[in-house]
Amino acid sequence: MKRLSYFLFSILLIAALPACKDDDGGGSGNNPNNPPSNLANPHVSGTTVQADFLGRITDQEQNPVSGALVQIGGAFAQTDNDGFYSIENASVDSRFSTIQVQAGNHYDQYRNVRPKTGEVNLVDIRLIPRTFNGFFQANAGGEVEVEGGGSVVFPANGMVDEEGNAYSGQVIVAATYLDPTDMALATYMPGSSAAVDEDGMAVGMISYGMIGVDILSSGGQPLQLADGALAQIEFPVQEEQTANAPDQIPLWHFDEASGVWREEGSAVREGNMYSGEVSHFSFWNCDIAVETVYLDMAFYDEQSGASLSNLYLRLYRPDGTYSNGFTNAEGEVSGIVPSNEVLTVEVYNDDCGTDLLLYSEDIGPFSDDASLDPIGINLPDGYEVISFAGTIVDCEGEPISNALLLSESTETSGSQYAVADENGAFDFSYTCATQGEVEYLFQNLDDLSASETFTIDYDVLNETEYNVGEVVFCESFSLETFLTYEDGQNSFAYGFGSSSGDGECLFLTYQLPDSTSQSDYGTIAMVYPEGTGITGNCWGDESIYLSRVLPNGNQLYTNFIDAVITVTSFDEGPDGVEFIVGTVTGSSQVSILNAGTEVESYTAEATVNFQLTNE
């Protein structure tokens, strides 16, 4: 089975009182309000490696988000109907890289990762809903209440468009507060707790609240604060944090270009509110900086030697603040933790509906990055590591080497992932003390098709190792259609497509599902793939043409020069194309128009990935 590395640990340092210790719990952006940064990021190593990524994109209620664009290291993917994405051979920094996710009606989301090579890096990301429900006239200014708590006061005559021109019309605002005491905050806050202080030093953060703000004109064009204009932003102080909340606290904004939080200004506490002034908008954060190191840990069952997967961890500082996370399929967990402090690690079972404390120990202090020896845990009487194994094959009995397995026990709300190896072998495990049923299905990461759902009954009193033998993945239940474009300066995706032909040339047409005009569409004209029996010269030249409305309202047009269209998979049915996958490479001539007037043009090497399915 291919190894999976999880990135759900630490990454967030939560401010809490010691009395709360027994609580239960388990690319550059297009936002002009956060201007691109050329500042250094001391968290990176400067060494580039190739890495594979896999994960699921969900909304706040953990429902899958389909059609989301996911990108890292110049590689792109679009989520399928179940919210899954898969990216291979991304060029990333070996120590610190950032995944970006874009989806309609949500803030652009970012997740910091410390990638590993030679294995699949599993990164699940939850999105933050974005609702535009605040309004004011730019020439008068106004106050907007923040969803979830807090407020933003905008100055009069303080708004400009992307070109820096003064704007005096209606302003539409989305503003959202993130509660720092939410146990799940680490799964959906932008980036991680990785930050850069005002001296340019790499630090971590203890959060006392975050607010994200997006501002648009009445026509939907992004706006920002004018040079010299300041807005006042207020954050509520949560009751659990009032005893430790300082009178003055640094402010930090999330730098989408580098994927880190940067210190900029400060906020003053007035009662149970923090108030400060900001000169631009993205996400803002009230935080105390702490020095950090990277820590790697692993846990196993002392009796059987089996790795303990899906354990829930809390890592406490002496003052009661803590970080949290989960172990992966190999029992491993890693992330950033405070340096030069004695830390207390607590490990809980999160499988099969239990929250039993399994282990508690003081560790540290750590002055440098550290990797601890594997830690053995004696499971309580009646608890066992239940392992499941098998082989996934296709209709002809051939192993499927790139299949994702998603499993869920009837005794837990959590899920586990595994990826079959080159021989189709897979395995996964749960730590349980009950009888129950595991449901699992497979997804072929090569063509995004999904299998039926299979079930396994287990009983820890009678058996702890279950071999399900060969599982036949024959019928596809869901296939996705998408086209992604990237040229180093602009990137976007379409999520709906259709095909047609004239007897010589095959046409693929892509657009947005909610498109009402030809403002968002793309066409590919190509000769029919070999083996179809259809020949032709497709006017003597294959071509690709794309049109897309950018987030700022400008219209982008691109036309490829000497496009090279490569079809990697093709199936034809009685009604035309059933399934086609391929890439386009070449020089892209790009023209960007505003109200019909060209404002920018350039030529760049570009890559298009496309897939079309007629179910």
Side-chain angles (χ1 to χ4, degrees):
M1 183 186 74
K2 292 182 180 178
R3 293 190 64 199
L4 294 175
S5 290
Y6 282 54
F7 290 92
L8 298 178
F9 176 63
S10 313
I11 314 294
L12 173 64
L13 304 174
I14 304 173
L17 291 177
C20 300
K21 193 171 181 177
D22 293 329
D23 288 348
D24 297 335
S28 64
N30 294 316
N31 183 359
N33 303 310
N34 184 9
S37 171
N38 59 1
L39 299 176
N41 180 0
H43 291 275
V44 302
S45 68
T47 301
T48 299
V49 297
Q50 303 299 119
D52 300 335
F53 297 88
L54 171 70
R56 199 176 201 182
I57 308 301
T58 60
D59 62 17
Q60 280 295 90
E61 286 69 44
Q62 301 195 51
N63 300 310
V65 176
S66 63
L69 180 63
V70 184
Q71 50 187 310
I72 182 172
F76 297 80
Q78 192 171 29
T79 57
D80 64 12
N81 284 338
D82 297 312
F84 286 105
Y85 72 91
S86 176
I87 293 177
E88 296 182 347
N89 297 318
S91 298
V92 295
D93 185 83
S94 63
R95 180 181 173 88
F96 185 94
S97 294
T98 303
I99 295 178
Q100 179 186 3
V101 182
Q102 295 174 299
N105 301 320
H106 295 85
Y107 291 94
D108 287 359
Q109 185 60 289
Y110 301 82
R111 178 68 68 245
N112 299 145
V113 296
R114 188 185 186 190
K116 291 186 178 181
T117 59
E119 54 195 272
V120 180
N121 296 276
L122 178 62
V123 187
D124 292 341
I125 300 174
R126 289 173 67 185
L127 304 182
I128 304 170
R130 183 181 64 172
T131 303
F132 289 93
N133 53 13
F135 307 90
F136 68 91
Q137 290 299 125
N139 58 356
E143 181 174 355
V144 172
E145 296 298 318
V146 176
E147 185 176 358
S151 65
V152 182
V153 178
F154 294 87
N157 301 311
M159 309 306 300
V160 296
D161 62 21
E162 286 189 297
E163 283 72 43
N165 300 314
Y167 177 77
S168 60
Q170 186 185 51
V171 179
I172 307 172
V173 182
T176 304
Y177 170 76
L178 305 186
D179 180 355
T181 65
D182 183 356
M183 297 296 101
L185 182 60
T187 67
Y188 63 84
M189 68 171 287
S192 66
S193 68
V196 180
D197 67 17
E198 60 185 3
D199 297 321
M201 302 298 293
V203 296
M205 302 185 304
I206 298 174
S207 179
Y208 282 79
M210 312 178 202
I211 289 178
V213 180
D214 272 358
I215 44 181
L216 302 176
S217 70
S218 57
Q221 286 73 41
L223 300 173
Q224 59 181 305
L225 289 171
D227 288 345
L230 297 175
Q232 183 176 336
I233 188 168
E234 289 192 338
F235 305 76
V237 179
Q238 294 299 314
E239 182 178 355
E240 299 96 318
Q241 298 180 314
T242 54
N244 290 339
D247 292 335
Q248 185 167 320
I249 192 168
L251 281 174
W252 312 69
H253 77 272
F254 186 73
D255 180 2
E256 296 170 352
S258 59
V260 296
W261 294 89
R262 294 189 183 274
E263 185 178 0
E264 184 179 345
S266 62
V268 176
R269 181 176 174 182
E270 300 173 359
N272 287 328
M273 299 291 289
Y274 277 120
S275 178
E277 291 184 327
V278 299
S279 60
H280 58 89
F281 282 107
S282 59
F283 270 86
W284 285 89
N285 206 336
C286 292
D287 292 270
I288 297 174
V290 294
E291 294 183 356
T292 60
V293 296
Y294 278 92
L295 177 65
D296 299 318
M297 292 188 290
F299 298 87
Y300 65 93
D301 175 21
E302 281 198 341
Q303 299 301 316
S304 66
S307 299
L308 293 174
S309 63
N310 208 40
L311 298 182
Y312 173 67
L313 284 82
R314 281 188 178 179
L315 202 60
Y316 285 93
R317 300 179 68 206
D319 65 359
T321 59
Y322 63 90
S323 54
N324 57 10
F326 292 87
T327 59
N328 67 4
E330 307 297 328
E332 300 169 342
V333 65
S334 64
I336 59 176
V337 300
S339 62
N340 301 311
E341 296 183 9
V342 175
L343 306 171
T344 301
V345 58
E346 293 184 351
V347 182
Y348 296 83
N349 181 41
D350 197 60
D351 283 340
C352 304
T354 65
D355 55 2
L356 182 68
L357 177 65
L358 301 178
Y359 179 85
S360 179
E361 190 69 42
D362 289 343
I363 59 175
F366 305 104
S367 58
D368 295 302
D369 294 350
S371 181
L372 301 185
D373 292 335
I375 298 171
I377 294 179
N378 279 313
L379 296 178
D381 291 342
Y383 279 80
E384 299 285 350
V385 178
I386 311 171
S387 62
F388 304 88
T391 304
I392 182 74
V393 298
D394 61 19
C395 300
E396 286 72 42
E398 296 296 321
I400 300 175
S401 62
N402 200 26
L404 165 70
L405 176 145
L406 171 65
S407 66
E408 183 170 313
S409 168
T410 56
E411 302 300 318
T412 178
S413 59
S415 300
Q416 297 214 36
Y417 302 104
V419 179
D421 64 16
E422 63 272 12
N423 298 314
F426 64 88
D427 63 77
F428 59 97
S429 64
Y430 287 91
T431 303
C432 292
T434 60
Q435 297 175 333
E437 182 180 85
V438 169
E439 295 183 345
Y440 65 101
L441 58 83
F442 294 91
Q443 183 162 35
N444 191 325
L445 297 175
D446 291 327
D447 63 15
L448 299 180
S449 57
S451 75
E452 62 180 301
T453 299
F454 305 93
T455 60
I456 310 171
D457 293 320
Y458 65 83
D459 183 348
V460 299
L461 299 179
N462 297 318
E463 185 66 51
T464 59
E465 296 183 3
Y466 293 82
N467 192 319
V468 300
E470 283 193 350
V471 179
V472 180
F473 181 176
C474 197
E475 184 177 359
S476 297
F477 284 81
S478 67
L479 294 168
E480 293 302 301
T481 291
F482 64 84
L483 179 149
T484 63
Y485 170 88
E486 196 276 327
D487 65 15
Q489 298 187 48
N490 283 284
S491 60
F492 47 79
Y494 305 99
F496 177 79
S498 61
S499 66
S500 61
D502 63 0
E504 291 187 344
C505 191
L506 174 64
F507 302 97
L508 305 179
T509 302
Y510 295 83
Q511 64 186 95
L512 296 180
D514 57 356
S515 177
T516 58
S517 68
Q518 291 189 333
S519 59
D520 287 291
Y521 75 99
T523 61
I524 302 175
M526 70 179 76
V527 297
Y528 278 83
E530 294 182 6
T532 62
I534 302 176
T535 59
N537 61 10
C538 200
W539 313 319
D541 185 23
E542 296 182 308
S543 64
I544 176 170
Y545 177 81
L546 307 175
S547 173
R548 186 63 185 268
V549 175
L550 299 177
N552 61 8
N554 289 344
Q555 183 79 41
L556 180 147
Y557 297 94
T558 179
N559 202 3
F560 273 69
I561 307 169
D562 298 325
V564 177
I565 303 177
T566 303
V567 175
T568 57
S569 182
F570 181 82
D571 285 315
E572 189 175 23
D575 299 320
V577 174
E578 277 193 350
F579 184 64
I580 186 169
V581 179
T583 61
V584 182
T585 57
S587 296
S588 174
Q589 291 182 325
V590 178
S591 178
I592 300 177
L593 280 64
N594 181 289
T597 301
E598 186 175 84
V599 295
E600 183 181 356
S601 64
Y602 62 89
T603 300
E605 292 300 310
T607 300
V608 167
N609 295 295
F610 64 87
Q611 177 168 300
L612 189 146
T613 298
N614 290 321
E615 296 186 272

